[in-house]
Amino acid sequence: MSNTRIRIRALAHGGDGIGNLVEGDGPTWFVPGALPQEVVEAQEVRAAKRFTQGRLVQVVEPSPARVEPPCPYAESCGGCQWQHVAPIKQPEFKARIVADQLRGLETGVRVGFAGPEFGYRRRARLHYRRAESGFALGFHAPRSREVVDVAQCPVLDPALDVAAQKLRAVAGLLPASGEVLGLSDGTRVVLGLPRVKPSPEVLEGLRALLDDTLVGIEVRGGRQRGHVGQRLLEVDGTPRWPAVRLGAFSFGQANAAGNRALVEHVCTRAEADGLRVLELYAGAGNFTRALARTAQRVWASDTDHDAIKTLQGLAKAEDLPINAKRQSATNLLPKLAESRSTYDVIVLDPPRAGLGKEGMAAACRVATQRIVYVSCDPATLARDLEVATERGFDIDDVTVFDLMPMTSHVEVVVTLRSRSGG
Ligand SMILES: C[S@@+](CC[C@H](N)C(=O)[O-])C[C@H]1O[C@@H](n2cnc3c(N)ncnc32)[C@H](O)[C@@H]1O
């Protein structure tokens, strides 16, 4: 198949280059690994009605932002998508991706945090596969289920990197393929093994791996759960608010320094002093513990049973004004809107799917002053913000947090202010 020359004009959400034919008309091309201002040669992988998915063959005119990937696995490993992008340019590109997605909403986009590109990732999901050729442990190859064996990963927190590698010693006890979840507090690590039955033999083998760095391993196979050593770590405590307790299976931001900046920002933007706050998708209380320091009360919910139990424990131990309940935001919001219940401020941090049009419309009826929306998906965020601006809210601020350098992941916080509230 012949190569096609494409001029790249922007980056798609997800990080692919977006471009058009250098000569003549044709559909829009999406080319992973290509950067704005570049001319590249690409090969067609898939032609859809309105766009063509391409594979980068060669960069003809490189962008000034292109660098030699520092990681030796960059070519084969799908863990990072942006090893070829100068770290200093990555936050700017992420802000541009968000601004492109929010186009039409007429808002500026600021960068709130950009961190070091190596050793930051304290939480990760790795994959393993046992084959005749040996045991592979690492990340999936780009757009594939193949596991790339990574002996050392430069973006992982060093303690997590070392701890995960220890599993090679018990490869024979593990299923033929699976996942490893890891969380580090900087010096100590807990690992999680989903779809592994906690048999006495497995637990004994895993116990032998524990030391001062790898302090606990939790296994979950169907309804059976077991662990050796410690299950939870205390992370992200500051002199102003208490630590949260997270396990390998809990949700937690991957970047400790970035998360501190994110929590500060959410609290500043929520302006919740003395106010009634509804927090949706609260997890184990990452934002809750900080909001509750000054709010009149925070009503926090999440569907994760363990997270809510942990948050209830934290509220009690620290005597914080928090009501934590296991509840689905998708069920709760319409009920609150129908019963005309209101809160001064809503803080929400949904998974990629976002809130959805109905959920967002309900949130706009429930919040009387502000909504602080934390998102990891600019496309679903744009859909929800459109609803909010039609339902009486203005966008006050859009701030991008580059919590995962070297990848195309982006975290965005949007503050919405009620036109009738205050
Ligand atoms: C992006 S995490 C945010 C967690 C927390 N805010 C933090 O910063 O650690 C999304 C959370 O949404 C929860 N979740 C997923 N679907 C939900 C739903 N329908 N209703 C409420 N919570 C949900 C997950 O359990 C997870 O804790």
Side-chain angles (χ1 to χ4, degrees):
M1 194 183 284
S2 65
N3 296 339
T4 308
R5 282 206 171 188
I6 309 292
R7 187 180 303 283
I8 305 295
R9 54 182 156 80
L11 286 168
H13 138 60
D16 294 359
I18 311 175
N20 297 88
L21 299 179
V22 168
E23 282 174 20
D25 294 332
T28 297
W29 279 63
F30 287 82
V31 186
L35 298 177
Q37 299 178 6
E38 290 188 331
V39 173
V40 301
E41 282 190 355
Q43 222 168 55
E44 183 182 303
V45 174
R46 189 165 67 90
K49 219 173 183 180
R50 296 220 213 117
F51 68 89
T52 300
Q53 184 68 49
R55 182 177 69 78
L56 179 65
V57 176
Q58 175 179 200
V59 179
V60 181
E61 291 174 24
S63 151
R66 180 172 288 279
V67 295
E68 198 55 43
C71 174
Y73 298 100
E75 279 277 301
S76 56
C77 175
C80 296
Q81 305 81 41
W82 277 11
Q83 287 275 341
H84 61 287
V85 185
I88 198 157
K89 297 294 283 183
Q90 294 183 19
E92 181 189 319
F93 281 157
K94 290 181 187 186
R96 236 191 281 168
I97 289 172
V98 172
D100 285 349
Q101 289 290 330
L102 304 189
R103 207 175 18 217
L105 294 170
E106 291 180 16
T107 177
V109 177
R110 300 186 304 122
V111 175
F113 174 88
E117 63 272 28
F118 295 125
Y120 70 83
R121 195 162 167 185
R122 62 153 175 197
R123 186 175 168 274
R125 180 186 297 268
L126 304 173
H127 301 271
Y128 61 81
R129 191 174 293 277
R130 212 159 16 87
E132 272 179 23
S133 52
F135 183 71
L137 173 69
F139 293 92
H140 280 148
R143 291 158 215 263
S144 150
R145 309 292 292 171
E146 184 200 334
V147 179
V148 178
D149 193 36
V150 174
Q152 200 213 336
C153 169
V155 303
L156 283 190
D157 167 291
L160 175 54
D161 200 13
V162 167
Q165 294 298 331
K166 285 173 144 259
L167 288 174
R168 292 181 189 277
V170 292
L173 290 174
L174 301 176
S177 66
E179 290 176 344
V180 183
L181 312 173
L183 173 74
S184 167
D185 70 2
T187 52
R188 294 171 318 150
V189 174
V190 290
L191 296 179
L193 298 170
R195 288 187 292 279
V196 175
K197 290 233 156 68
S199 68
E201 189 196 7
V202 165
L203 293 179
E204 192 186 317
L206 295 178
R207 194 183 302 280
L209 301 181
L210 300 185
D211 59 14
D212 290 347
T213 303
L214 177 53
V215 296
I217 306 174
E218 183 178 355
V219 286
R220 292 185 183 183
R223 286 174 173 270
Q224 296 179 40
R225 291 182 178 195
H227 68 276
V228 293
Q230 216 168 303
R231 201 173 65 79
L232 302 175
L233 290 178
E234 289 201 348
V235 298
D236 296 347
T238 75
R240 290 172 58 210
W241 42 73
V244 280
R245 301 184 79 213
L246 299 179
F249 284 85
S250 326
F251 176 85
Q253 288 291 355
N255 185 321
N259 188 49
R260 274 195 294 278
L262 183 70
V263 174
E264 284 279 0
H265 179 82
V266 166
C267 287
T268 306
R269 285 287 155 189
E271 295 176 58
D273 295 13
L275 298 184
R276 300 170 70 250
V277 179
L278 175 68
E279 190 192 354
L280 305 168
Y281 309 94
N286 187 32
F287 302 127
T288 329
R289 67 202 157 121
L291 291 163
R293 282 285 172 204
T294 58
Q296 184 192 115
R297 182 159 286 277
V298 184
W299 283 264
S301 59
D302 195 285
T303 44
D304 184 328
H305 177 261
D306 288 352
I308 286 299
K309 241 174 79 183
T310 308
L311 178 53
Q312 286 167 339
L314 179 80
K316 200 167 170 204
E318 300 290 329
D319 195 21
L320 290 168
I322 295 170
N323 285 32
K325 198 168 174 190
R326 184 179 178 211
Q327 209 160 27
S328 157
T330 355
N331 294 340
L332 177 64
L333 274 171
K335 273 193 207 153
L336 291 175
E338 259 167 50
S339 63
R340 296 180 186 272
S341 302
T342 58
Y343 292 84
D344 303 311
V345 180
I346 296 184
V347 173
L348 58 107
D349 182 13
R352 293 199 161 276
L355 213 51
K357 288 185 177 180
E358 279 178 30
M360 194 72 218
C364 293
R365 287 169 64 187
V366 174
T368 57
Q369 296 188 25
R370 276 175 297 291
I371 300 176
V372 181
Y373 190 143
V374 184
S375 163
C376 57
D377 188 313
T380 58
L381 173 68
R383 174 204 64 203
D384 292 347
L385 291 185
E386 205 179 316
V387 174
T389 54
E390 289 163 4
R391 303 275 175 148
F393 280 78
D394 285 330
I395 299 176
D396 225 19
D397 178 74
V398 181
T399 303
V400 160
F401 289 77
D402 188 4
L403 301 185
M404 290 186 70
M406 296 296 191
T407 77
S408 55
H409 293 282
V410 58
E411 203 73 19
V412 195
V413 182
V414 176
T415 313
L416 293 156
R417 193 173 293 274
S418 165
R419 278 175 221 132
S420 55

